[in-house]
Amino acid sequence: MSSAAISVHGVTARVPAKINLELVVGPRRADGFHHLATVFQAVGLHDDVTVEAADDWGITVNGPYADLVPVDDTNLAMQAARLLASEASIDVPVHITIDKDIPVAGGMAGGSADAAGALLACDALWGVGSSKAALEDLAAELGSDVPFALLGGTAMGSGRGDQLAPVLGRGRYHWVLAFSDVGLSTPKVYAECDRLRANRRVPEPAPSAAMMTALRSGDAASLGRALSNDLQPAAFSLQPRLEEVLRAGMDHGALGGIVSGSGPTVAFLVSDTEQGLDLAVALTASGSAPAVERAVGPVRGAHLITAPSGPSGPSGPRASVGSTGHQTGHTGPAGLRSS
Ligand code: C5P
């Protein structure tokens, strides 16, 4: 993570990416969203969102995906900051700096992570002191996945994915993430899912017993078998190459593999660090995925890694640094990302 994460002039929140271990997509609702029954897991791939008081609102994005992120009012982190400012009647503009490691339009809720980070960091910078429930309400206004980015861990999501209940599961899981170099638009993937199911009756979504049993047991092989995603056929239909990526990972011995959310990231579950390294090298060497990274989950949700500055100046080093679960470093030959 870049040195901006330890800025002492502002407040930095660290926020994880997510994988949907299960994503059951129900009927389309009148508001255009779909009823979901989903199980989220936060994994150790993070964005750091730093906010500093400034003369005017602004945003800077650093990292490998910076060029793909809008730096105007359409940025979800900016919308989050302005929403909190308006709710709390704050008149102090901020400059937001995002150190981005979560891929853009990758199905890992990177934009949602940035929004959650901006909410948490601005709340601390401005000394608003919002309750957890108040921040969750604002998060849900910003997007379906934003509340989970605040919560982290492993959680069941219902409604449009924004109503959360933590899952008390066991286990620490090793993931290998195969990124695509072309993003997928979430609304387009949902629309394709509707198109593919146009002639079928779609039942109300419910979580599977197999997923809950696997999480309770903490057994990675059972979890691998229980992974499922109703958006996967739609992601395959829009990016047929993803099916080959999934097959390549399974052929190399992954315990399970799944398109993450609306894709195109494909997440593979492996038994341990060593198998993760082997799979990352194999996927890279085969040319199946342009970039591969490893991460463990579950990890905690959005949290501050610098204390707010007092009126007399910066307040010093990080208030706390949690275990990120992010496995850094090159894991094989050229092509693998490290961060
Ligand atoms: O809430 P969020 O902004 O992440 O949603 C992006 C888009 O994904 C929505 O506009 C909608 O097209 C689709 N979506 C959906 N049902 C959900 C969540 C998202 O149809 N439960």
Side-chain angles (χ1 to χ4, degrees), residues 32-36 112 142-145 159-161 186-187 190:
F33 286 88
H34 293 72
H35 280 292
L36 300 183
S112 302
L142 290 159
S144 310
D145 292 336
R160 59 184 172 92
T186 302
Y190 274 99

Side-chain angles (χ1 to χ4, degrees), residues 45-116:
L45 177 67
H46 295 89
D47 283 357
D48 282 353
V49 181
T50 299
V51 298
E52 296 164 87
D55 293 335
D56 206 355
W57 298 88
I59 187 158
T60 305
V61 183
N62 302 317
Y65 310 105
D67 291 351
L68 302 171
V69 181
V71 287
D72 55 23
D73 280 351
T74 63
N75 186 293
L76 208 53
M78 180 62 87
Q79 289 176 19
R82 285 187 182 272
L83 179 63
L84 180 63
S86 136
E87 290 289 318
S89 305
I90 299 286
D91 196 15
V92 180
V94 291
H95 191 91
I96 303 173
T97 304
I98 302 175
D99 290 290
K100 195 152 193 53
D101 269 355
I102 307 174
V104 175
M108 300 196 76
S112 302
D114 299 343

Side-chain angles (χ1 to χ4, degrees), residues 14-16 42 46 149-153 298-304 320-323:
R14 177 161 290 177
V15 199
H46 295 89
L150 283 177
L151 181 68
V299 297
R300 62 197 292 209
H303 56 283
L304 298 181
S320 70
V321 180
S323 156

Side-chain angles (χ1 to χ4, degrees), residues 129-225:
S130 304
S131 67
K132 210 164 149 274
L135 280 187
E136 280 165 14
D137 285 348
L138 294 183
E141 271 187 52
L142 290 159
S144 310
D145 292 336
V146 185
F148 179 72
L150 283 177
L151 181 68
T154 305
M156 271 288 313
S158 56
R160 59 184 172 92
D162 57 328
Q163 288 160 34
L164 300 174
V167 172
L168 297 174
R170 288 198 201 140
R172 186 166 176 270
Y173 300 100
H174 295 260
W175 297 96
V176 174
L177 308 167
F179 301 134
S180 170
D181 41 14
V182 185
L184 273 175
S185 140
T186 302
K188 282 192 185 146
V189 175
Y190 274 99
E192 180 67 1
C193 175
D194 288 339
R195 193 185 69 79
L196 294 175
R197 311 194 298 190
N199 298 319
R200 262 187 280 153
R201 195 190 75 81
V202 178
E204 285 302 318
S208 73
M211 173 54 64
M212 290 302 134
T213 306
L215 285 171
R216 267 197 303 274
S217 74
D219 176 45
S222 306
L223 183 62
R225 286 190 295 274

Side-chain angles (χ1 to χ4, degrees), residues 18 53 120 150 226 236 329:
K18 62 82 184 166
L120 197 67
L150 283 177
F236 285 167

